[in-house]
Amino acid sequence: MYIDMVTLLERINEVLFAAVLIVSFSLLAYIVLQNWRSDIVRALGVLLAGVIIAYSGDLLLARAQRPETVEFLGRAQWLGIVLVPAGYIHFANALLAFGNVNTLAQRWRRSVYLSYLGSIIIFLLVALGTNLVIHTGMPSGPVAQFQAGPLFWFYVVFFVVAAATALIAILTVRRSALTPSQRRRLSYLSATFAAPGIGVFPFLLVASPSAAPISLILALQAIASVIVIVMVTVMTYSVAFQGMLIPERLIKQDFVRWWLYGPFVGITTILFIQAVPVIAQQLGLPPETLITFGVMVMTVLMPIFVTQAKPYLDALIYHQDHSEIDYLRNLPRNMFTRADLRALLENSLVAICNPLGVKTGFVIAPGEDGFSIKALWGSRREVRRFVTEHPIANLIPQLDAMPYDASASLDSGSLLVIGSFCLLPLRSPDGVFLGAIGLEVTPEQLQRNGGMSTEMRRMVTGLAHQIELALTTAQMQRQIFDALRGLAPEMQSLQQLSSRLEQATPSTLTTIEDDIALHPDFPQLVKDALTQFWGGPKLADSPLLGLRSVRRVLAEQGGSPTKALQAVLRQAIANLRPDDQIDPSAQEWLLYNLLEGRFLRRQTVRDVAHRLAMSESDFYRKQRIAIEEVARQILLMEEHEYENSTGRR
């Protein structure tokens, strides 16, 4: 019975070691991908890497049989064991710099390099096979393979000092935090910061395994692994907010989803694989057969479970904004996209042409680049020839000038005959011109064929009205999206302001009011500066002269604030230049060419609009979008400068 209990505890520990590995690796990938430029994140990455290496060694040692393999693995895992105290000191320094406790941060910065140097020396002493830190002892079952050397106690002091340093830094920054949410997260951090230390510290070198039963030691290891999983998760969650200038709800949502797709699925799979031998023995079947069926079931059921669980988790995260989030979640399914519009136009065109015996037809509708052919039926050559002889830009005024009759149909004199095609204007319910249907047939041919029956005329007229409704809906959606794009810089500024206020300390609070990039009228300031890019009071007296990126290049521009602002604006426009492999007619090139021609080359609106083949009204709409993109680029530049100035790299 005693042996069975030990074997069971060994199996439980193996599963928990694997669980700690999966959770730590998933959290390391998540936090690094979220904000790898933050020094706090890099320090946490070192701590998580130490946990991963140490538990990898434990997992392999549990299965190792040969003495030389045990010796190698036991020494190799010390790379993770020595990384943790250095990571604690690094974490403390980064946290103090984040909290703008500059005096302490500067004082401890050198200690970060010394701690990593000390960790490397300790690891080399272990890895080279010396007995100064650890030495091979008599194996005592599944839990002990080494004994403490004379320099091991130096590592213990180093570890304790490093952990105390991290705790002092957390408490110091917590005292300087101003908002309840920031203090709450730092409280979580102070309660869970010891997780990496609990996971990697070699306790069995301090207390001899012979002092307690093996079953008790294995049980304590299992409990420690569970504690590490919980504490590492909460610790990473607390750090995920530091320096991230996005709403709290988005960070929570990303973290929960990552935990579902990473640790949850991984741990569930490990538990299933570990349970297969037991189930196979009970059923009298080969384990390989059960694994095949199990993997098939798991790969189907786990994505379904995660998909079903996400709405409930989102409801917990967005409990105050539940109705808005539900609407936005269903919006992609309810939207009438460009692909939907093209499919409706093509199908409607086919339904119109077939009853009339028309071999070629097309639909003219507006898009990002003005009116163009959006759907076609029949001979592309005939349509191309017609458009070449009669450019669409010349047809639009004639079609728009035709008298509007809501009851007009195809054979009631409402067609514009040009060449071998007749065009039916499409209008919104209030008479606004939307486009046209082009058919390669004349009214005389229709009359010679006996005209259309009442049912056919009703069907064709109904299809034309459906096309008008679709174009009206698409136009309204485009206007809504344009309005949302126009609000994007303001919304981003408000989100960043909210995040900075939430993470503010007394030393950073005074700088927020002077941050021009957070002002709601920031896009208008960018527009004013671009309008007088080559000189004028809106450039020389612009509040944008206070930008961090402008101050950074001030010396490079001979100390001239105006030239420094010009350089920043020029760089923001250059950042928008698409890759040369992108289609020259793409929207990205159009916006870049508009900015370059209008502001950098000082061309007139008419010249730029003519060169880009657009109307002046369309030019001003595109110019607004382009200026918003410039403002967004400057915001990114300011965020980078802010991270550099506060040590959040």
Side-chain angles (χ1 to χ4, degrees):
M1 182 66 182
Y2 175 75
I3 296 177
D4 291 340
M5 177 61 69
V6 172
T7 303
L8 176 62
L9 289 172
E10 287 180 3
R11 183 64 61 86
I12 292 174
N13 272 282
E14 288 182 25
V15 173
L16 290 175
F17 289 163
V20 173
L21 275 177
I22 293 171
V23 171
S24 300
F25 184 77
S26 298
L27 294 176
L28 175 62
Y30 164 78
I31 199 70
V32 170
L33 291 175
Q34 283 289 102
N35 194 17
W36 65 271
R37 291 180 296 181
S38 171
D39 203 26
I40 299 179
V41 168
R42 290 201 290 267
L44 178 61
V46 172
L47 293 172
L48 292 175
V51 173
I52 292 170
I53 295 171
Y55 271 88
S56 297
D58 288 336
L59 189 62
L60 295 174
L61 280 170
R63 292 291 184 177
Q65 300 293 332
R66 296 166 54 186
E68 56 270 23
T69 303
V70 172
E71 178 84 12
F72 171 76
L73 292 174
R75 292 182 178 275
Q77 75 173 156
W78 265 77
L79 176 59
I81 295 173
V82 299
L83 274 179
V84 168
Y88 272 138
I89 295 177
H90 185 184
F91 187 80
N93 181 266
L95 195 60
L96 291 172
F98 174 83
N100 281 274
V101 188
N102 294 318
T103 304
L104 289 175
Q106 291 292 337
R107 189 183 307 166
W108 286 2
R109 183 163 297 174
R110 186 174 297 177
S111 65
V112 175
Y113 302 105
L114 294 177
S115 64
Y116 279 114
L117 179 61
S119 298
I120 293 173
I121 293 174
I122 294 174
F123 175 69
L124 288 177
L125 291 175
V126 173
L128 293 177
T130 69
N131 294 327
L132 295 175
V133 181
I134 59 172
H135 63 86
T136 306
M138 294 300 294
S140 55
V143 294
Q145 303 293 344
F146 294 95
Q147 294 180 355
L151 294 183
F152 173 75
W153 303 106
F154 168 79
Y155 167 79
V156 173
V157 174
F158 176 38
F159 188 97
V160 172
V161 170
T165 300
L167 180 59
I168 292 171
I170 295 171
L171 296 177
T172 301
V173 175
R174 185 183 181 280
R175 281 196 300 269
S176 64
L178 298 179
T179 60
S181 56
Q182 181 74 343
R183 287 196 298 271
R184 183 181 67 252
R185 291 171 196 143
L186 289 169
S187 297
Y188 295 159
L189 191 57
S190 63
T192 59
F193 84 100
I198 295 173
V200 307
F201 187 82
F203 291 100
L204 293 178
L205 294 181
V206 178
S208 174
S210 60
I214 298 299
S215 59
L216 177 60
I217 294 175
L218 291 174
L220 291 176
Q221 281 186 339
I223 294 172
S225 297
V226 174
I227 292 174
V228 168
I229 290 174
V230 176
M231 293 177 68
V232 165
T233 300
V234 177
M235 183 181 182
T236 306
Y237 171 79
S238 304
V239 173
F241 290 89
Q242 310 301 324
M244 291 292 290
L245 301 181
I246 60 176
E248 177 182 8
R249 56 183 173 80
L250 297 180
I251 297 176
K252 288 181 178 179
Q253 184 186 50
D254 291 342
F255 186 83
V256 170
R257 288 185 176 180
W258 189 277
W259 219 96
L260 277 177
Y261 284 114
F264 178 77
V265 173
I267 292 173
T268 305
T269 304
I270 290 295
L271 289 174
F272 168 77
I273 293 174
Q274 291 292 331
V276 163
V278 178
I279 299 174
Q281 186 177 5
Q282 295 293 327
L283 297 178
L285 294 173
E288 295 79 7
T289 303
L290 289 182
I291 288 179
T292 302
F293 283 97
V295 169
M296 177 185 69
V297 173
M298 293 288 288
T299 53
V300 173
L301 292 184
M302 291 310 298
I304 294 176
F305 175 81
V306 171
T307 302
Q308 294 297 321
K310 280 194 323 185
Y312 298 100
L313 294 173
D314 288 345
L316 294 176
I317 296 172
Y318 298 117
H319 61 278
Q320 295 179 343
D321 307 310
H322 188 62
S323 59
E324 292 88 345
I325 297 301
D326 282 345
Y327 177 77
L328 292 175
R329 184 185 294 114
N330 296 322
L331 186 59
R333 294 180 176 271
N334 300 329
M335 282 177 55
F336 191 70
T337 65
R338 296 179 184 176
D340 297 333
L341 175 62
R342 181 177 293 276
L344 176 61
L345 294 180
E346 291 175 349
N347 295 334
S348 300
L349 189 61
V350 171
I352 290 175
C353 291
N354 276 335
L356 298 177
V358 175
K359 296 182 178 180
T360 303
F362 58 84
V363 176
I364 298 174
E368 293 292 336
D369 303 323
F371 286 91
S372 60
I373 303 294
K374 295 300 182 183
L376 185 146
W377 164 260
S379 173
R380 293 181 177 273
R381 180 181 300 177
E382 289 298 321
V383 175
R384 191 179 302 112
R385 180 185 59 79
F386 175 79
V387 172
T388 302
E389 296 177 357
H390 308 281
I392 294 177
N394 298 335
L395 297 176
I396 299 304
Q398 301 180 54
L399 292 167
D400 194 10
M402 293 182 64
Y404 172 59
D405 183 0
S407 61
S409 61
L410 283 175
D411 49 351
S412 61
S414 62
L415 300 174
L416 175 64
V417 179
I418 299 180
S420 60
F421 282 81
C422 55
L423 303 176
L424 172 66
L426 301 171
R427 299 181 183 274
S428 65
D430 54 355
V432 176
F433 178 73
L434 298 173
I437 300 175
L439 303 173
E440 193 181 18
V441 62
T442 64
E444 291 78 9
Q445 290 175 316
L446 286 175
Q447 292 175 0
R448 286 199 302 269
N449 292 333
M452 290 187 294
S453 64
T454 303
E455 292 77 9
M456 185 178 297
R457 184 166 59 251
R458 186 182 300 113
M459 181 196 69
V460 173
T461 304
L463 289 172
H465 287 331
Q466 289 298 322
I467 293 177
E468 292 173 338
L469 176 61
L471 293 176
T472 302
T473 303
Q475 190 177 69
M476 291 175 62
Q477 283 189 171
R478 186 161 56 249
Q479 292 172 353
I480 293 173
F481 290 153
D482 288 344
L484 289 175
R485 292 189 187 99
L487 289 173
E490 288 82 359
M491 292 189 293
Q492 186 176 8
S493 296
L494 291 174
Q495 289 176 352
Q496 291 183 355
L497 177 60
S498 177
S499 298
R500 289 192 184 178
L501 286 173
E502 188 175 281
Q503 303 174 23
T505 61
S507 57
T508 61
L509 192 59
T510 56
T511 63
I512 294 178
E513 184 179 355
D514 299 329
D515 198 337
I516 304 300
L518 297 179
H519 288 192
D521 59 345
F522 180 72
Q524 183 61 41
L525 296 177
V526 174
K527 178 182 179 182
D528 293 340
L530 286 172
T531 303
Q532 297 190 353
F533 182 82
W534 295 101
K538 291 184 179 180
L539 183 72
D541 301 330
S542 174
L544 299 181
L545 296 173
L547 291 171
R548 294 183 181 86
S549 50
V550 172
R551 294 197 298 266
R552 181 180 60 82
V553 301
L554 191 60
E556 301 174 7
Q557 302 299 322
S560 172
T562 302
K563 291 183 179 179
L565 179 54
Q566 288 175 325
V568 169
L569 292 171
R570 190 178 289 109
Q571 180 62 48
I573 295 176
N575 292 343
L576 292 173
R577 190 182 192 277
D579 190 271
D580 291 334
Q581 297 179 352
I582 295 180
D583 186 356
S585 61
Q587 175 83 352
E588 293 87 345
W589 273 112
L590 186 137
L591 296 180
Y592 173 76
N593 291 330
L594 186 151
L595 291 167
E596 184 188 37
R598 182 70 183 99
F599 301 116
L600 301 187
R601 296 185 180 181
R602 306 178 71 176
Q603 296 177 347
T604 64
V605 171
R606 179 174 298 179
D607 291 341
V608 176
H610 179 73
R611 181 166 62 89
L612 299 178
M614 65 174 67
S615 64
E616 290 193 16
S617 60
D618 194 33
F619 170 87
Y620 285 111
R621 187 170 65 87
K622 292 293 194 303
Q623 178 180 265
R624 186 182 68 254
I625 298 174
I627 291 174
E628 290 165 358
E629 291 298 324
V630 174
R632 189 173 290 110
Q633 286 297 321
I634 296 177
L635 285 174
L636 293 175
M637 296 164 65
E638 284 297 287
E639 182 179 346
H640 180 68
E641 294 297 328
Y642 175 74
E643 292 170 350
N644 290 342
S645 64
T646 56
R648 305 178 190 187
R649 299 187 297 272

